[in-house]
């Protein structure tokens, strides 16, 4: 995985520079943008990290940016920087999924702690996304008949019950079960259940 990057978006150059120096002081890679539009033009969902954005900017506000990012795959967590009088907007940003909002003038250590947390959350989200993709890829290798048996297995049906349900012999069900375990790289039924939960096929 690529090194985490802090994307700083603010139309105030002094704020951009101050934030950049703060983030670089603890070893993080930083990219600066004066507008949300310029950030979106170069947005690459494969780069992990965190977004720090001013909430009130010309052309596209931080809130508008956040709504655009919700349409993208694997957008990093976003922290909103807000001035006095923007708190209502910031609260709305939180309701829409922003990780937090930091009022100006911000406390350096508080902001660093929030960025560190955001990077951890982003890493967890990416790991979960990768795990879901891997399980789905395995599941898609199953034939339609194998998927049918898979669905009955995770419902707790026994081979005899499955045979009656799909109108085949019990030995045919056992053969399909064996093929499912092989294709899904599962050691036991518990593994299949976990994979089914990963794909939201069953609830915990």
């Amino acid at each position: 995985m690529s090194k985490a990057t802090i994307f700083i978006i603010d139309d105030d150059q002094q704020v951009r520079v101050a934030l950049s120096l703060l983030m670089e002081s603890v070893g993080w890679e930083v990219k600066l943008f004066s507008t949300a539009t310029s950030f979106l033009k170069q947005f690459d969902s494969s780069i992990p990290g965190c977004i720090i954005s001013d909430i009130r900017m010309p052309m596209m506000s931080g809130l508008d940016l956040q709504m655009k990012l919700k349409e993208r795959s694997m957008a990093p967590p976003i922290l909103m920087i807000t001035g006095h009088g923007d708190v209502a907007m910031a609260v709305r940003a939180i309701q829409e999924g922003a990780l937090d909002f930091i009022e100006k003038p911000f406390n350096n250590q508080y902001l660093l702690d929030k960025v560190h947390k955001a990077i951890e959350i982003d890493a967890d989200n990416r790991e979960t996304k990768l795990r879901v993709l891997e399980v789905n890829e395995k599941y898609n290798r199953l034939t339609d008949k194998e998927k049918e048996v898979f669905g009955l297995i995770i419902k707790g049906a026994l081979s005899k019950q499955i045979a009656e349900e799909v109108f085949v012999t019990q030995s045919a069900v056992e053969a399909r079960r064996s093929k499912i375990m092989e294709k899904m790289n599962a050691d036991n039924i518990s593994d299949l259940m976990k994979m089914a939960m990963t794909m939201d096929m069953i609830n915990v």
Side-chain angles (χ1 to χ4, degrees):
M1 183 178 289
S2 303
K3 183 179 179 180
T5 299
I6 314 303
F7 301 94
I8 298 171
I9 310 166
D10 199 303
D11 59 317
D12 187 323
Q13 183 178 2
Q14 289 185 330
V15 173
R16 291 198 305 273
V17 171
L19 286 171
S20 177
L21 292 173
L22 177 62
M23 299 301 140
E24 290 174 343
S25 72
V26 293
W28 283 320
E29 187 172 329
V30 177
K31 289 189 177 181
L32 305 178
F33 301 90
S34 58
T35 67
T37 303
S38 61
F39 167 77
L40 283 176
K41 285 181 179 178
Q42 67 79 58
F43 176 71
D44 182 350
S45 62
S46 68
I47 302 175
C50 166
I51 298 168
I52 302 175
S53 175
D54 190 7
I55 200 165
R56 192 181 292 276
M57 296 182 289
M59 294 187 288
M60 183 183 294
S61 69
L63 190 57
D64 291 335
L65 169 64
Q66 182 182 4
M67 300 307 291
K68 290 284 186 183
L69 288 173
K70 288 178 71 174
E71 301 170 2
R72 309 291 184 95
S73 173
M74 282 311 304
I78 186 167
L79 295 167
M80 292 292 186
I81 297 178
T82 175
H84 181 72
D86 294 336
V87 176
M89 289 178 65
V91 170
R92 184 184 166 197
I94 293 291
Q95 293 171 339
E96 294 292 344
L99 188 60
D100 203 349
F101 66 87
I102 295 94
E103 292 187 70
K104 298 176 182 177
F106 46 81
N107 176 279
N108 287 353
Q109 189 56 54
Y110 180 82
L111 180 55
L112 289 172
D113 289 344
K114 288 296 180 180
V115 169
H116 182 74
K117 182 64 176 178
I119 290 173
E120 288 183 341
I121 290 172
D122 185 56
D124 288 344
N125 289 343
R126 289 174 186 278
E127 184 178 346
T128 299
K129 179 83 170 181
L130 180 60
R131 185 164 60 248
V132 171
L133 288 173
E134 289 175 345
V135 173
N136 275 306
E137 284 179 3
K138 292 176 183 177
Y139 180 75
N140 288 333
R141 296 188 195 123
L142 302 181
T143 65
D144 290 341
K145 290 180 179 179
E146 288 165 352
K147 288 178 180 178
E148 183 179 25
V149 172
F150 182 98
L152 292 168
I153 290 173
I154 63 174
K155 289 179 181 177
L158 302 175
S159 293
K160 183 178 179 180
Q161 296 170 317
I162 296 172
E164 294 173 352
E165 180 76 21
V166 300
F167 305 106
V168 298
T169 64
Q170 191 168 332
S171 60
V173 170
E174 292 295 341
R176 290 180 192 175
R177 182 194 291 263
S178 177
K179 205 66 179 176
I180 290 167
M181 301 294 280
E182 178 186 339
K183 289 182 177 180
M184 297 298 294
N185 195 26
D187 293 326
N188 48 50
I189 301 302
S190 177
D191 286 345
L192 290 184
M193 297 291 285
K194 291 174 183 176
M195 292 177 187
M197 285 188 283
T198 297
M199 295 185 288
D200 288 330
M201 294 177 69
I202 55 176
N203 295 320
V204 180

